[in-house]
Amino acid sequence: MFVYLFTFLHFIFNCNLLYFHRQLLIGGDSAGGNIVHHLALRSGSESLNGGIKILGSILCFSYFLTSSDFKEDSLLSRIWEFVNPTAEDGVDDPRINPFVEKAQSLSGLGCSNILVYVAEKDELRNIGIKYVEAVKKSEWKGEIVLIDVEGEDHCFQIFDPEKEKAIDLIKEMANFITKYCV
């Protein structure tokens, strides 16, 4: 927890309080990464309250699913169906699958920088890599960086924040945040 607090304080004091400049960096783990993706898409197609601009997005081990990657009876698919039983297309709903035809175009992402984390042992790893490739192939004007953490699983940094790889992840995030603070 201390590492997260330090990163937050570093962000606040070294980035000239981005809130007052109406500029934000957003980030999330797992389902939070999915939410960050949708917020970035929304900010690309409509104005945010107060004229806020999203400079960058951090997606850590994002919870995206596709029917081609996950069987209907897989645990992750069943969790999605439990959380959203009204999804007509199951895991091919654009809220969980950014690659389906009904999904908003990735070229519409409303930020100019994205940092994506995947982990070697995470069953969502390949979808995270596919997301990065799809963003690069879209007409999105920005920079996207993929970091593949060797030997780790989904959201490992939350379960053991003192682990060396977790500390490295936080430092990489801090560098990303610092780089894009204007």
Side-chain angles (χ1 to χ4, degrees):
M1 243 359 157
F2 176 74
V3 175
Y4 288 107
L5 178 61
F6 175 78
T7 302
F8 176 73
L9 292 174
H10 177 79
F11 171 80
I12 293 298
F13 291 110
N14 290 320
C15 295
N16 300 318
L17 293 171
L18 288 182
Y19 174 75
F20 293 115
H21 293 280
R22 299 179 194 266
Q23 299 173 348
L24 297 174
L25 285 138
I26 56 176
D29 299 313
S30 193
N34 182 308
I35 293 167
V36 164
H37 161 74
H38 285 283
L39 182 56
L41 273 177
R42 187 171 176 182
S43 73
S45 62
E46 60 186 83
S47 297
L48 299 178
N49 291 340
I52 292 172
K53 180 181 181 200
I54 297 175
L55 295 176
S57 300
I58 302 173
L59 289 78
C60 294
F61 320 108
S62 296
Y63 192 174
F64 295 129
L65 299 175
T66 69
S67 59
S68 60
D69 294 301
F70 289 91
K71 295 180 181 173
E72 191 175 311
D73 64 344
S74 73
L75 177 61
L76 293 175
S77 296
R78 289 194 328 250
I79 290 171
W80 168 249
E81 303 227 353
F82 174 77
V83 170
N84 195 350
T86 61
E88 291 178 18
D89 298 320
V91 296
D92 286 330
D93 184 293
R95 291 171 288 184
I96 196 75
N97 183 343
F99 314 112
V100 293
E101 193 173 317
K102 292 180 184 178
Q104 191 174 341
S105 171
L106 295 172
S107 66
L109 288 162
C111 61
S112 55
N113 302 285
I114 302 173
L115 176 61
V116 176
Y117 284 94
V118 297
E120 179 182 20
K121 295 179 180 178
D122 186 354
E123 62 185 308
L124 297 172
R125 177 182 180 269
N126 292 339
I127 293 178
I129 293 169
K130 183 177 177 180
Y131 177 80
V132 170
E133 291 169 353
V135 170
K136 286 180 178 179
K137 287 179 186 174
S138 76
E139 295 178 14
W140 178 67
K141 308 273 188 271
E143 180 182 347
I144 188 164
V145 175
L146 173 67
I147 297 179
D148 192 350
V149 184
E150 195 175 302
E152 296 298 341
D153 208 336
H154 189 74
C155 294
F156 72 94
Q157 82 285 5
I158 293 171
F159 302 108
D160 192 357
E162 301 301 320
K163 185 182 236 181
E164 185 176 343
K165 288 183 182 179
I167 292 168
D168 290 344
L169 181 144
I170 297 301
K171 287 178 181 176
E172 289 164 348
M173 279 187 208
N175 288 336
F176 179 83
I177 291 167
T178 302
K179 181 177 179 180
Y180 296 109
C181 292
V182 179

